Amino acid sequence: MEEAVNIVILALMAVTVIGIVFIRNLMAVVMLSGIYSLLAASVFVVLDAVDVAFTEAAVGAGISTVLFIGTLALTTRIEKKPAHKPYLPFIVVAITGAALIYGSFDMARFGDAEAVTNKHVAPYYLENTKKHTGIPNVVTAVLASYRGYDTLGEVVVIFTAGIGVILLLGSWRRGLTPPAPHKRDEA
Amino acid sequence: MFTAAAIALMITMAFAVIRAFVGPTLYDRILAVNMFGTKTVLIIAVLGFLMGRPEFLDIALVYALINFIGVIALLKYFKYGNLAIGPGEAPKSIEKGQDT
């Protein structure tokens, strides 16, 4: 059953991406990328990675959509036709994709308990997480406790990026009217 | 029972994606995305029961909230033309009842 759900969701994701590539109406593209994020989050839920699914839904479907719409409000809603033929980029992407698929043949089977990656530090965490931290979810314990400083650094990076974006889009400050795009073009 | 519900939801999701593709108007697409978000909430809830993890219901609730934020941003964009407007400072075009 899970496999069937995965196949349907992944097929819908592929269809959505093809749509994103071909549609020139950027508002429709924003809508479709929101759908794509929701689908990705569903896949993560099916894979039992609930925290990742949370992040994907909040960032991908929530904040990204809002930021995209804000950008469209400042620019334009229709994408220009590309000036060059897309064959060379397509060939490069196809070759890279083929190489990645070829590389995936060497990966361990999904959920394989005997895989090398599952025999290194994973048994230690599984055995001691409850004792050390008292957190029932091992992934959360690793992220927030064992690698707490690492996560703190990540949060600092994301916070800095957020401050940068807010300063760039700073026209929402009280007393300043937002720049009108058509007037800016005349200057 | 849950399997039938999951299959029905999958088919509805496929229809919503088709609607987001063919449009024809922007509002069809907004509606498609909004509906798709609702379907995601439902399918996560159904999958929770299908996989024996009813705790997934909480996640479905959070998804519903996220979906709401996106729709509010969209509606604000279509009402005011941008997102950089605070409460109580609507532009004059709105007061005259014009839609952007």
Side-chain angles (χ1 to χ4, degrees):
Chain A
M1 183 60 208
E2 272 179 42
E3 269 154 24
V5 173
N6 264 337
I7 288 169
V8 173
I9 294 177
L10 289 173
L12 281 175
M13 279 171 93
V15 172
T16 314
V17 168
I18 292 169
I20 289 177
V21 171
F22 279 104
I23 290 178
R24 293 255 168 259
N25 184 340
L26 289 177
M27 191 51 93
V29 169
V30 172
M31 304 286 97
L32 284 172
S33 63
I35 287 183
Y36 182 86
S37 291
L38 286 170
L39 283 167
S42 312
V43 172
F44 289 140
V45 170
V46 176
L47 289 174
D48 231 356
V50 176
D51 49 337
V52 186
F54 246 67
T55 317
E56 173 66 37
V59 175
I63 300 299
S64 291
T65 309
V66 176
L67 288 180
F68 278 143
I69 294 169
T71 314
L72 290 189
L74 292 175
T75 55
T76 175
R77 260 160 58 179
I78 305 292
E79 184 183 354
K80 280 182 190 147
K81 275 203 173 5
H84 58 88
K85 291 269 188 274
Y87 299 123
L88 179 65
F90 179 75
I91 290 170
V92 171
V93 168
I95 291 173
T96 315
L100 288 174
I101 290 171
Y102 175 72
S104 75
F105 290 150
D106 278 345
M107 280 166 63
R109 267 183 56 243
F110 174 67
D112 187 0
E114 296 301 309
V116 185
T117 45
N118 288 344
K119 300 190 89 172
H120 183 46
V121 289
Y124 174 82
Y125 285 137
L126 287 179
E127 202 162 306
N128 295 313
T129 295
K130 192 83 184 171
K131 211 164 38 185
H132 287 166
T133 65
I135 301 172
N137 188 327
V138 180
V139 177
T140 309
V142 169
L143 281 179
S145 177
Y146 288 110
R147 299 180 193 163
Y149 285 116
D150 185 52
T151 307
L152 182 67
E154 282 175 27
V155 173
V156 169
V157 169
I158 294 171
F159 185 66
T160 317
I163 290 176
V165 170
I166 288 173
L167 288 177
L168 282 175
L169 302 174
S171 57
W172 52 268
R173 270 171 301 165
R174 201 158 291 279
L176 271 177
T177 48
H182 54 279
K183 277 187 185 163
R184 211 169 16 168
D185 288 345
E186 289 164 14
Chain B
M1 184 67 182
F2 287 126
T3 316
I7 292 168
L9 282 171
M10 293 280 186
I11 294 169
T12 327
M13 283 162 99
F15 281 141
V17 170
I18 292 170
R19 180 47 70 195
F21 273 161
V22 297
T25 71
L26 210 51
Y27 299 100
D28 290 318
R29 294 190 164 121
I30 295 170
L31 207 55
V33 173
N34 193 14
M35 194 186 104
F36 198 89
T38 318
K39 295 305 152 216
T40 317
V41 172
L42 289 176
I43 202 151
I44 288 169
V46 169
L47 280 178
F49 284 105
L50 207 59
M51 292 157 67
R53 306 269 306 269
E55 315 93 79
F56 280 10
L57 271 182
D58 299 345
I59 299 155
L61 280 177
V62 174
Y63 272 46
L65 294 176
I66 290 166
N67 205 17
F68 189 60
I69 295 172
V71 172
I72 287 203
L74 266 175
L75 295 179
K76 192 172 176 187
Y77 172 72
F78 279 110
K79 180 147 193 204
Y80 298 120
N82 65 50
L83 301 181
I85 286 180
E89 41 175 323
K92 292 212 171 71
S93 63
I94 304 301
E95 283 160 10
K96 280 186 232 152
Q98 289 172 356
D99 263 351
T100 40

